[in-house]
Amino acid sequence: MAASITPERPAAPEEQRNGPLIVTEDEELLDDLLRLCAAAGAEPEVAHGAPTRRGSWEGAPLILVGDDSAARLCGRARREGVLLIGRDLDDHGIWRRAVDLGADHVAFLPDAETWLVDRIADVAEGVGRQALTVGVIGGRGGAGASTLACALAVSAARAGRRTMLIDGDPLGGGLDVLLGGEGAEGLRWPAFAESRGRVAGSALEESLPELHSLRVLSWDRGDAVVIPDSAMRAVLAAARRRGGVVVVDLPRRIDDATAEALAQIDLGLLVVPAELRAVAASHRVASTVGMVLRDLRAVVRGPCGPELDDEEIAGLLGLPLAGQLPPEPGLSAALDGGEPPGASARGPLSRFCTEFWARALAGEGGVPA
């Protein structure tokens, strides 16, 4: 069990280094905390009773204080990232000691072990701002959602953003193919099908194929593999912890894994061709997706006629309009020639993506109004 004393605030960049500082004289508790640090891949500094190394209290990215040492540390300078670790859920005095110490949280072992491993692992990975995560879904088959997802990723990477593209549609043929990298070395989804708990973000990133300066998690050419929601949860959470942007290409059929992906997405784009039948199909998709994803916006794929423009289509769907995607002559020929969507910085598709990211990333992490 873990509980918050003060609001969580992101650690300053200079604090994101090394492992946590452990302060305790309780040998049994120390063994447990060292075990949790090992599970998180972190190398802690240990102080028996009180920190003796100059600057260790001020400079540690995270401090784990055993309840046995709380009283003698109350005179220390207040700072963020202090956790008070106890064992007795019935000891109500620990809350007063936490306030006196200036702790952010109280964690009770063994109940809070999983939560504590995650906090320690965040320190080990140097976690800062999470990635802005954008999901793209087609209002009907052939709407162009996969093309837009690839173009958004290519555009973000070209602008120097750390970018990861995740293929959430097992029946889509593979985004690595669309990017011209089906033969690139690296892991595909089947390697992560059994993932549980926490996946290290750095290990995930390094294991994936790198295409056009971005990392891609796609499907292989083997038999279909079912990705459990637990695997989707672990992989997508790891991708988001790396920062930058994450783009997820989503299927129109909402299974458990897709619902888990939707739960972690900041902003969804529903690609709708400017046709009445496509609008009708998109309405059903929007109704289903909207039950999980609170921020879903329409991207109308033109050309639009005078009788059905982009604002009217968005209004019929009951969605905010993210923009109109004009036709791009020569796109099919470029894809056949191995050029990824959005590669031409002057093309309509690339311009749409550039304008989208300019709004979405305004202020580093905001979403477009």
Side-chain angles (χ1 to χ4, degrees), residues 16-308:
Q16 296 172 3
R17 56 183 174 81
N18 303 328
L21 170 66
I22 299 175
V23 185
T24 183
E25 291 183 323
D26 184 331
E27 293 297 330
E28 185 178 349
L29 178 61
L30 177 59
D31 287 344
D32 285 339
L33 293 177
L34 290 174
R35 172 175 54 83
L36 298 181
C37 286
E43 297 183 7
E45 176 184 352
V46 177
H48 297 278
T52 56
R53 186 176 65 83
R54 183 177 180 181
S56 59
W57 177 269
E58 294 77 12
L62 184 70
I63 301 178
L64 311 178
V65 178
D67 191 32
D68 65 287
S69 299
R72 68 174 62 92
L73 294 173
C74 286
R76 291 275 172 173
R78 298 293 179 111
R79 50 152 293 168
E80 299 176 2
V82 177
L83 311 182
L84 183 57
I85 314 299
R87 294 188 186 275
D88 187 359
L89 289 168
D90 296 323
D91 179 9
H92 300 296
I94 194 172
W95 300 102
R96 170 49 57 190
R97 294 189 290 276
V99 171
D100 293 341
L101 180 64
D104 292 342
H105 292 78
V106 173
F108 293 96
L109 299 183
D111 300 48
E113 284 195 356
T114 300
W115 177 87
L116 194 52
V117 167
D118 282 346
R119 290 297 301 269
I120 298 169
D122 283 347
V123 168
E125 288 191 47
V127 173
R129 188 189 300 276
Q130 286 203 332
L132 176 64
T133 306
V134 177
V136 186
I137 187 168
R140 66 156 169 79
S146 296
T147 298
L148 178 57
C150 287
L152 284 168
V154 168
S155 176
R158 184 171 57 236
R161 297 278 174 182
R162 169 178 268 149
T163 306
M164 190 174 295
L165 176 62
I166 295 181
D167 189 349
D169 186 359
L171 303 180
L175 294 185
D176 55 349
V177 176
L178 196 53
L179 292 171
E182 59 270 26
E185 292 186 2
L187 299 182
R188 268 64 173 182
W189 260 120
F192 299 96
E194 301 302 321
S195 298
R196 299 290 187 276
R198 184 185 180 97
V199 173
S202 57
L204 171 68
E205 184 176 45
E206 292 167 5
S207 71
L208 299 179
E210 183 175 5
L211 302 170
H212 311 288
S213 301
L214 61 98
R215 297 287 179 166
V216 184
L217 176 54
S218 189
W219 303 85
D220 62 11
R221 271 17 95 192
D223 294 336
V225 175
V226 175
I227 300 298
D229 57 342
S230 57
M232 179 63 76
R233 182 184 310 117
V235 167
L236 191 49
R240 298 183 71 205
R241 287 196 302 271
R242 297 298 288 164
V245 298
V246 174
V247 181
V248 187
D249 183 31
L250 296 164
R252 289 183 298 129
R253 181 177 60 86
I254 309 300
D255 56 13
D256 289 344
T258 304
E260 177 57 44
L262 288 169
Q264 295 199 48
I265 284 171
D266 298 308
L267 170 63
L269 299 177
L270 179 65
V271 183
V272 187
E275 307 162 1
L276 280 175
R277 289 185 61 191
V279 173
S282 299
H283 193 279
R284 291 191 291 271
V285 176
S287 298
T288 303
V289 172
M291 291 189 291
V292 183
L293 179 60
R294 296 187 347 188
D295 193 351
L296 179 65
R297 307 182 186 196
V299 174
V300 177
R301 200 189 80 196
C304 294
E307 70 284 353
L308 194 65

